[in-house]
Amino acid sequence: MHEPDIHDLSDDADYAAASKQGSSSMSRTDSSKRSSSSDPEDAEIVYLKDNVTIHPTQYATERISGRLKLIKQGSSLFMTWIPYKGQSSNARLSERDKNLYTIRAIPFSDIQSIRRHTPTIGWQYVIVVLSSGLAYPPLYFYSGGVREFLATIKQHVLIARSSEDANVFLVNNFQDPLQRTLSSLELPRSLAKGSPSSSFKGTPSDERLDKGTLEDNQLSNNIQQNNRQRQKNHDPARDISIQVLEKFSLVTRFARETTSQLFRESLVDGHGPAEKRRNNWASKDHQRQEIASNDVDDDVPKRVPVASDPLEFEKLSLVWGQPRQHPLGLEEWSTFLDSEGRVGDPNALKKRIFYGGVEHNLRKEVWGFLLGYYSYDSTYAERQYVVSVKKSEYETIKNQWQSISPEQAKRFTKFRERRGLIEKDVVRTDRSLSFYDGDDNPNVRLMHDILLTYSFYNFDLGYCQGMSDLLSPILFIMKDESEAFWCFVSLLERLGPNFNRDQNGMHSQLFALSKLVELLDAPLHNYFKQNDCLNYFFCFRWILIQFKREFEYEKTLRLWEVLWTHYPTEHLHLYVCIAILKRHRVKIMGEQMDFDTLLKFINELSGQIDLDPVLRDAEALCVCAGENGAASIPPGTPPSLPLQDGSIYQQQDDEVL
Amino acid sequence: MSYAYLFKYIIIGDTGVGKSCLLLQFTDKRFQPVHDLTIGVEFGARMITIDNKPIKLQIWDTAGQESFRSITRSYYRGAAGALLVYDITRRETFNHLASWLEDARQHANANMTVMLIGNKCDLAHRRAVSTEEGEQFAKENGLIFMEASAKTAQNVEEAFISTAGTIYKKIQDGVFDVSNESYGIKVGYGGTAGPSGGRDGAPAQGGACCS
């Protein structure tokens, strides 16, 4: 039983191959091959629509158009979306990006819901959400046809309009009594598989019947688990993945294995990676074993991958284990500034901060640069001017809500709601800190005013829980209302999508995270896949508020300034996630954690994570992942800049009350 | 600590109605007016005794803001009980109950026991929802109902325990197949896998020390 795999490793190998050859024709051949192979021979195309387009970024030149198809094969319905070949005129938009978004024959049994958006201005679009909780980017129907698309689906698959939102169409929804009844009558193949979150009772016993090898009556989870694994091991797609792994560039592969091995060791005995590494460069056979080994759980603690070439060891040691430095101090800081106060070499500064952070008393000044409140080439005088101009600009916006009279507020529900929410939340943010503790603390009042002013500065985004967590350290450092506000604004230019009502910013980061784990730790990825954990919701809090709840306050400040350097990547936070997960991978897999247990486990890591080693690991992982890593992160994934035309929040408009 | 059964609970309701305070009052027997707002989900646990059997309640306390609904929904999976909380001093939190309930019905298993709690009943002078209205809503939707106060601890213990009692009774009545963990029940030592499990003498599954 071969299930089409949306996270097929062949993607990554193709990227690797494409980037190695630097040839777009190569990937073009690939994608055409793929598109033909994804239309099975006995399949019937039941819907076809051209000019269905995704908008990876806000730039009109970076949109990708393609052909959307619904294909019926047997009793199953598949959806494909293949971008047009060679249409790209923009250098930033490579064939690789297109491959990343290509939807190759996703069966409707893997789809949870489809959301239709029909804005009054602009194109209609749909968002397809998978059972795993991940979502594809919005598909814009430039030539119309959303209604027909949904109608066609309805002819072949059981879908039901969500009772809470008429624009959401639920697929495979066994919780819905109507569908449950229908499915028990018909049980078409695509439905019988069920969605992972479904509590469809028939599934476990069906599985057992399928296997035929299990004679006993034990129903324990373990057995089902092993079964599932055995099945995976014989899955032809899995074999292909392994071959594909072989094709990875050697350095990347070596780095990946070594990385996971080093993590394992430092977990086991706490020894530094360096000396352990030397002990392990022995036989090549072990490396083969690592690649060929499919048996995830049994082998993990025992595997000993080693380098095949001493040269690679040299390469790796260059990237490995850059020790953390002492924070940037006043004296050194002055060497980065010219006589008028310009930062001559911003990259050198960022690099320096990446490796050591900033001394506390310098933060107020340096954070302004890192967040983009000051430009690096500004002089002392220009910055002073910016501060005063921005201050009056802030007052103007603040005055907008301050001038709302109680009478007017009575007729302004949205305002009252926001204000009420902010009032409730600022007194629930970091109150254990002396800066914010006590009754009538003026800093709490400042936080309130800044958040409410922000909700007028960006009315579409408004206020969402988590924002106070992001503001708290900024206000704590800046101490000044207007400066804290503008730094917060700069931060939210990057992280605003985290708080979108449809959570698309979070979804895109969780999607990228799953891609990166797949690249950097295939066994862990497979484990998550088998245990319905691929939505990565257990990393939700980490990403939403940049690990703010995971570290003590001072460590959070350090982590943030490191992340904000965007050195060596804008998405270091995703590698931080992986670094933490990797440190606990043996426990996670060894104890067979299910989604609930994993979520609880991750939650309870709060306060237990040692920042410096994690940062080193994250950097190493980022370097190891290299081009493949960058290719796994769709353009526009937060905290990438810039999302300028404001339309990112448009989706909210049709939903606001 | 060993238990006969473990029940998974989920606490839902609008932001600021006192979900985390109810949990803290139940698990730690204290009221902490100042604590950080919940992002994602928090966990609590406590042992109780029903019918002389030790039962562990594992309680998931969720974020209430509307924007987080899509993620909160993934926590319903496998919950045996839900505490649906509103604030008797804020009418809108009562008005949103139907939508919360619909979410729960849609994403949790059909046999989940739902307890409706009108919290902050110590603030009677600011009451905006009458007890009768709460009762009426509960009756219409087949829920158990109590007014409670996380601050004074009034009815907090009762709310959690009577929910557990209802779940326990459902097990005794054979409503659940407790070997199927999607019902939010794990069987530990000393528990029986319900009437059918007991008859077949199937060994109880599930860890006794599961956190």
Side-chain angles (χ1 to χ4, degrees), chain A residues 394-448:
Chain A
Y394 173 75
E395 292 300 333
T396 307
I397 307 168
K398 185 178 176 182
N399 192 42
Q400 289 168 2
W401 62 262
Q402 281 189 320
S403 64
I404 295 173
S405 69
E407 274 306 304
Q408 192 187 356
K410 275 186 190 162
R411 300 180 298 268
F412 197 170
T413 308
K414 193 86 205 159
F415 171 67
R416 286 198 319 273
E417 277 178 6
R418 275 185 189 177
R419 192 180 53 187
L421 201 51
I422 291 168
E423 277 166 2
K424 272 190 171 299
D425 285 352
V426 292
V427 296
R428 298 192 288 171
T429 305
D430 291 325
R431 294 302 294 285
S432 54
L433 229 68
S434 64
F435 189 73
Y436 292 114
D437 74 359
D439 295 335
D440 299 324
N441 183 315
N443 295 322
V444 174
R445 185 73 220 168
L446 285 185
M447 200 191 288
H448 169 275

Coordinates of all heavy atoms in Angstrom, one line a residue, chain A residues 394-448:
Chain A
Y394 N 4.6 59.2 17.2 CA 4.0 58.2 18.1 C 2.8 58.9 18.9 O 1.7 58.4 19.0 CB 5.0 57.7 19.1 CG 4.4 56.9 20.3 CD1 4.0 55.6 20.0 CD2 4.2 57.5 21.5 CE1 3.4 54.9 21.1 CE2 3.6 56.7 22.6 CZ 3.2 55.4 22.3 OH 2.6 54.7 23.3
E395 N 3.1 60.2 19.3 CA 2.1 60.9 20.0 C 0.8 61.1 19.2 O -0.3 61.0 19.7 CB 2.6 62.2 20.5 CG 3.7 62.1 21.6 CD 3.2 61.4 22.9 OE1 2.0 61.4 23.2 OE2 4.1 60.8 23.5
T396 N 1.0 61.3 17.9 CA -0.1 61.5 17.0 C -1.0 60.2 17.0 O -2.2 60.3 17.1 CB 0.3 61.8 15.6 OG1 1.2 62.9 15.6 CG2 -0.8 62.1 14.7
I397 N -0.4 59.1 16.8 CA -1.1 57.9 16.8 C -1.8 57.6 18.1 O -3.0 57.2 18.2 CB -0.3 56.7 16.4 CG1 0.5 57.0 15.1 CG2 -1.1 55.4 16.2 CD1 1.6 56.0 14.7
K398 N -1.0 57.8 19.2 CA -1.6 57.5 20.5 C -2.8 58.4 20.8 O -3.8 58.0 21.4 CB -0.5 57.8 21.6 CG -0.9 57.5 23.0 CD 0.2 57.7 23.9 CE -0.2 57.4 25.4 NZ 0.9 57.7 26.4
N399 N -2.7 59.6 20.3 CA -3.8 60.5 20.5 C -5.1 60.1 19.8 O -6.2 60.4 20.3 CB -3.4 61.9 19.9 CG -4.4 63.0 20.4 OD1 -4.8 63.0 21.6 ND2 -4.8 63.9 19.5
Q400 N -5.0 59.3 18.8 CA -6.2 58.8 18.1 C -7.1 58.0 19.1 O -8.3 58.1 19.0 CB -5.8 57.9 16.9 CG -5.2 58.7 15.8 CD -4.5 57.9 14.7 OE1 -4.6 56.6 14.8 NE2 -4.0 58.5 13.7
W401 N -6.5 57.1 19.9 CA -7.4 56.4 20.8 C -7.6 57.2 22.1 O -8.7 57.0 22.7 CB -6.9 55.0 21.1 CG -5.5 54.9 21.7 CD1 -4.3 54.6 21.1 CD2 -5.2 54.9 23.1 NE1 -3.3 54.6 22.0 CE2 -3.8 54.7 23.3 CE3 -6.0 55.1 24.3 CZ2 -3.2 54.7 24.6 CZ3 -5.4 55.1 25.5 CH2 -4.0 54.9 25.7
Q402 N -6.7 58.0 22.4 CA -6.9 58.8 23.7 C -8.0 59.8 23.5 O -8.6 60.1 24.5 CB -5.6 59.5 24.1 CG -4.6 58.6 24.7 CD -3.4 59.4 25.3 OE1 -2.9 60.3 24.7 NE2 -2.9 59.0 26.4
S403 N -8.3 60.2 22.3 CA -9.3 61.2 22.1 C -10.7 60.5 22.0 O -11.7 61.2 21.7 CB -9.0 62.0 20.9 OG -9.0 61.2 19.7
I404 N -10.8 59.2 22.1 CA -12.1 58.6 22.0 C -12.8 58.8 23.3 O -12.3 58.3 24.4 CB -12.0 57.1 21.7 CG1 -11.4 56.9 20.2 CG2 -13.3 56.4 21.8 CD1 -11.1 55.5 19.9
S405 N -13.9 59.5 23.3 CA -14.6 59.7 24.6 C -15.4 58.5 25.0 O -15.6 57.6 24.2 CB -15.6 60.9 24.3 OG -16.7 60.4 23.5
P406 N -15.7 58.4 26.3 CA -16.5 57.3 26.8 C -17.8 57.1 26.0 O -18.2 56.0 25.7 CB -16.8 57.7 28.2 CG -15.7 58.6 28.6 CD -15.3 59.4 27.4
E407 N -18.4 58.2 25.6 CA -19.6 58.1 24.8 C -19.4 57.5 23.5 O -20.1 56.6 23.1 CB -20.2 59.6 24.6 CG -21.0 60.1 25.7 CD -22.2 59.1 26.0 OE1 -22.9 58.8 25.1 OE2 -22.3 58.7 27.2
Q408 N -18.3 57.9 22.8 CA -17.9 57.3 21.5 C -17.6 55.8 21.7 O -17.9 55.0 20.9 CB -16.8 58.1 21.0 CG -16.5 57.8 19.5 CD -15.2 58.5 19.0 OE1 -14.6 59.3 19.8 NE2 -14.8 58.3 17.8
A409 N -16.9 55.5 22.8 CA -16.4 54.2 23.0 C -17.6 53.2 23.1 O -17.6 52.1 22.7 CB -15.6 54.1 24.3
K410 N -18.7 53.7 23.6 CA -19.9 52.9 23.8 C -20.4 52.4 22.4 O -21.0 51.3 22.3 CB -21.1 53.8 24.4 CG -21.0 53.8 25.9 CD -22.3 54.5 26.4 CE -22.1 54.8 27.9 NZ -23.0 55.8 28.4
R411 N -20.1 53.2 21.4 CA -20.5 52.8 20.0 C -19.4 52.2 19.2 O -19.4 52.1 18.0 CB -21.1 54.0 19.3 CG -22.3 54.6 19.9 CD -22.8 55.8 19.1 NE -21.8 56.9 19.0 CZ -21.8 57.9 19.9 NH1 -22.6 58.0 20.9 NH2 -20.8 58.8 19.7
F412 N -18.3 51.8 19.9 CA -17.1 51.3 19.2 C -16.7 50.0 19.9 O -15.7 49.9 20.6 CB -16.0 52.4 19.4 CG -14.9 52.3 18.4 CD1 -13.9 53.3 18.3 CD2 -14.7 51.1 17.6 CE1 -12.9 53.2 17.4 CE2 -13.6 51.0 16.7 CZ -12.7 52.1 16.6
T413 N -17.4 49.0 19.6 CA -17.2 47.7 20.2 C -15.8 47.1 20.0 O -15.2 46.7 20.9 CB -18.2 46.6 19.7 OG1 -19.5 47.2 19.7 CG2 -18.2 45.3 20.4
K414 N -15.3 47.2 18.8 CA -14.0 46.7 18.5 C -12.9 47.3 19.4 O -12.1 46.7 19.9 CB -13.7 47.0 17.0 CG -12.5 46.3 16.4 CD -12.9 44.9 15.9 CE -11.7 44.0 15.9 NZ -12.1 42.6 15.9
F415 N -13.1 48.7 19.6 CA -12.1 49.4 20.4 C -12.2 48.9 21.8 O -11.2 48.6 22.5 CB -12.4 50.9 20.3 CG -11.6 51.7 21.3 CD1 -10.2 51.8 21.2 CD2 -12.2 52.4 22.3 CE1 -9.5 52.5 22.1 CE2 -11.5 53.1 23.2 CZ -10.2 53.2 23.1
R416 N -13.4 48.8 22.3 CA -13.6 48.4 23.7 C -13.1 47.0 23.9 O -12.4 46.7 24.9 CB -15.1 48.4 24.1 CG -15.7 49.8 24.3 CD -17.0 49.7 25.1 NE -17.8 48.6 24.7 CZ -18.7 48.6 23.7 NH1 -18.9 49.7 23.0 NH2 -19.4 47.6 23.4
E417 N -13.3 46.1 22.9 CA -12.8 44.7 23.1 C -11.3 44.7 23.1 O -10.7 44.0 24.0 CB -13.3 43.9 21.9 CG -14.7 43.4 22.0 CD -15.1 42.6 20.8 OE1 -14.3 42.4 19.8 OE2 -16.3 42.2 20.7
R418 N -10.7 45.4 22.2 CA -9.2 45.4 22.2 C -8.7 46.0 23.5 O -7.7 45.4 24.1 CB -8.7 46.2 21.0 CG -8.7 45.5 19.8 CD -8.1 46.3 18.7 NE -8.3 45.5 17.4 CZ -7.9 45.9 16.3 NH1 -7.3 47.2 16.1 NH2 -8.1 45.2 15.2
R419 N -9.2 47.1 23.9 CA -8.7 47.7 25.1 C -8.9 46.8 26.3 O -8.0 46.6 27.1 CB -9.4 49.0 25.3 CG -8.8 49.9 26.4 CD -9.6 51.2 26.6 NE -11.0 50.9 26.8 CZ -11.9 51.9 26.9 NH1 -11.6 53.1 26.7 NH2 -13.2 51.6 27.2
G420 N -10.0 46.1 26.3 CA -10.3 45.2 27.4 C -9.3 44.0 27.5 O -8.8 43.7 28.5
L421 N -9.0 43.5 26.3 CA -8.1 42.4 26.2 C -6.7 42.8 26.6 O -6.0 42.1 27.4 CB -8.1 41.9 24.7 CG -7.6 40.5 24.4 CD1 -8.3 39.5 25.3 CD2 -7.9 40.2 22.9
I422 N -6.3 44.0 26.1 CA -4.9 44.5 26.5 C -4.9 44.8 28.0 O -3.9 44.4 28.6 CB -4.6 45.8 25.7 CG1 -4.4 45.4 24.2 CG2 -3.4 46.4 26.2 CD1 -4.4 46.6 23.2
E423 N -5.9 45.4 28.5 CA -5.9 45.6 30.0 C -5.7 44.3 30.8 O -5.0 44.3 31.7 CB -7.2 46.3 30.4 CG -7.2 47.8 30.2 CD -8.6 48.5 30.3 OE1 -9.6 47.7 30.5 OE2 -8.7 49.7 30.0
K424 N -6.4 43.3 30.3 CA -6.3 42.0 31.0 C -5.0 41.4 30.9 O -4.5 40.7 31.8 CB -7.4 41.1 30.4 CG -8.7 41.2 31.1 CD -9.6 40.0 30.6 CE -10.9 40.0 31.5 NZ -10.6 39.8 32.9
D425 N -4.3 41.6 29.7 CA -3.1 40.9 29.4 C -1.9 41.6 30.0 O -0.9 40.9 30.4 CB -2.9 40.7 27.9 CG -3.9 39.6 27.4 OD1 -4.5 38.9 28.3 OD2 -4.0 39.4 26.2
V426 N -1.8 42.9 30.0 CA -0.6 43.6 30.5 C -0.4 43.3 32.0 O 0.7 43.2 32.5 CB -0.6 45.1 30.3 CG1 -0.5 45.4 28.8 CG2 -1.8 45.8 30.9
V427 N -1.5 43.0 32.7 CA -1.3 42.6 34.1 C -1.0 41.2 34.3 O -0.9 40.7 35.4 CB -2.5 43.0 35.0 CG1 -2.7 44.6 35.0 CG2 -3.8 42.4 34.5
R428 N -0.9 40.5 33.2 CA -0.5 39.1 33.2 C 0.8 38.8 32.4 O 1.0 37.8 31.9 CB -1.7 38.2 32.6 CG -3.0 38.3 33.4 CD -3.9 37.3 32.9 NE -4.5 37.5 31.6 CZ -5.2 36.6 31.0 NH1 -5.5 35.4 31.5 NH2 -5.7 36.9 29.8
T429 N 1.6 39.8 32.4 CA 2.9 39.7 31.6 C 4.0 40.1 32.5 O 4.2 41.2 32.9 CB 2.8 40.7 30.4 OG1 1.7 40.4 29.6 CG2 4.0 40.5 29.5
D430 N 4.9 39.1 32.8 CA 6.1 39.3 33.5 C 6.0 40.1 34.8 O 6.9 40.9 35.1 CB 7.1 40.0 32.6 CG 7.6 39.1 31.4 OD1 7.7 37.9 31.7 OD2 7.8 39.6 30.3
R431 N 4.9 39.8 35.5 CA 4.7 40.6 36.7 C 5.6 40.1 37.8 O 5.7 40.8 38.9 CB 3.2 40.4 37.2 CG 2.2 41.1 36.3 CD 2.5 42.6 36.0 NE 2.3 43.4 37.2 CZ 1.1 43.7 37.7 NH1 0.0 43.3 37.2 NH2 1.0 44.4 38.8
S432 N 6.3 39.0 37.6 CA 7.3 38.6 38.7 C 8.6 39.4 38.6 O 9.4 39.4 39.4 CB 7.6 37.1 38.5 OG 8.0 36.8 37.2
L433 N 8.7 40.1 37.5 CA 9.9 41.0 37.3 C 9.7 42.3 38.0 O 8.6 42.9 38.0 CB 10.0 41.3 35.8 CG 11.3 41.1 35.1 CD1 11.6 39.6 35.0 CD2 11.2 41.7 33.7
S434 N 10.7 42.8 38.7 CA 10.5 44.0 39.5 C 10.1 45.2 38.6 O 9.4 46.1 39.0 CB 11.8 44.3 40.3 OG 12.9 44.6 39.4
F435 N 10.6 45.1 37.4 CA 10.3 46.2 36.4 C 8.8 46.3 36.2 O 8.2 47.4 35.9 CB 11.0 46.0 35.1 CG 10.9 47.1 34.1 CD1 11.7 48.3 34.3 CD2 10.1 47.0 33.0 CE1 11.6 49.3 33.4 CE2 10.1 48.1 32.1 CZ 10.8 49.2 32.3
Y436 N 8.1 45.2 36.3 CA 6.6 45.2 36.1 C 5.8 44.9 37.3 O 4.6 44.7 37.1 CB 6.3 44.2 34.9 CG 6.8 44.6 33.6 CD1 7.8 43.9 32.9 CD2 6.4 45.8 32.9 CE1 8.3 44.3 31.7 CE2 6.9 46.1 31.7 CZ 7.8 45.4 31.1 OH 8.3 45.8 29.8
D437 N 6.4 44.7 38.4 CA 5.5 44.1 39.5 C 4.8 45.3 40.3 O 5.0 46.5 40.0 CB 6.4 43.3 40.5 CG 7.3 44.1 41.3 OD1 7.3 45.3 41.2 OD2 8.0 43.5 42.1
G438 N 4.0 44.8 41.2 CA 3.3 45.8 42.1 C 2.0 46.4 41.5 O 1.8 46.3 40.3
D439 N 1.2 47.0 42.3 CA 0.0 47.7 41.9 C 0.4 49.0 41.2 O 1.3 49.7 41.6 CB -0.9 47.9 43.0 CG -1.4 46.6 43.6 OD1 -1.4 45.6 42.9 OD2 -1.8 46.6 44.8
D440 N -0.4 49.4 40.2 CA -0.3 50.6 39.5 C 1.2 50.9 39.1 O 1.7 52.0 39.2 CB -0.7 51.8 40.4 CG -2.2 51.7 40.8 OD1 -2.9 51.2 40.0 OD2 -2.5 52.0 42.0
N441 N 1.8 49.9 38.6 CA 3.2 50.0 38.1 C 3.1 50.8 36.8 O 2.4 50.5 35.9 CB 3.8 48.6 37.8 CG 5.2 48.7 37.4 OD1 5.5 49.5 36.5 ND2 6.0 47.8 37.9
P442 N 3.9 51.9 36.7 CA 3.8 52.8 35.5 C 4.3 52.1 34.3 O 3.8 52.4 33.2 CB 4.8 54.0 35.9 CG 5.6 53.5 37.0 CD 4.8 52.5 37.8
N443 N 5.2 51.1 34.4 CA 5.6 50.4 33.2 C 4.5 49.5 32.6 O 4.5 49.3 31.4 CB 6.9 49.5 33.6 CG 8.0 50.4 34.0 OD1 8.2 51.5 33.4 ND2 8.8 50.0 35.0
V444 N 3.7 49.0 33.5 CA 2.5 48.2 33.0 C 1.6 49.1 32.2 O 1.1 48.8 31.2 CB 1.8 47.5 34.2 CG1 0.5 46.9 33.7 CG2 2.7 46.5 34.9
R445 N 1.5 50.3 32.7 CA 0.6 51.3 32.0 C 1.2 51.7 30.7 O 0.5 51.7 29.7 CB 0.6 52.6 32.9 CG -0.3 53.7 32.4 CD -1.8 53.4 32.6 NE -2.5 53.8 31.4 CZ -3.8 53.4 31.2 NH1 -4.4 52.7 32.0 NH2 -4.4 53.9 30.1
L446 N 2.6 51.8 30.6 CA 3.3 52.1 29.4 C 3.0 50.9 28.4 O 2.8 51.1 27.2 CB 4.8 52.2 29.6 CG 5.3 53.5 30.2 CD1 6.8 53.5 30.2 CD2 4.8 54.7 29.4
M447 N 3.1 49.7 28.9 CA 2.9 48.5 28.0 C 1.5 48.6 27.4 O 1.3 48.4 26.2 CB 3.1 47.3 28.8 CG 3.4 46.1 27.9 SD 3.4 44.5 28.7 CE 4.8 44.5 29.7
H448 N 0.5 48.9 28.3 CA -0.8 49.1 27.8 C -1.0 50.1 26.7 O -1.5 49.8 25.6 CB -1.7 49.4 29.0 CG -3.1 49.9 28.6 ND1 -3.4 51.2 28.3 CD2 -4.3 49.2 28.5 CE1 -4.7 51.2 28.0 NE2 -5.2 50.0 28.1

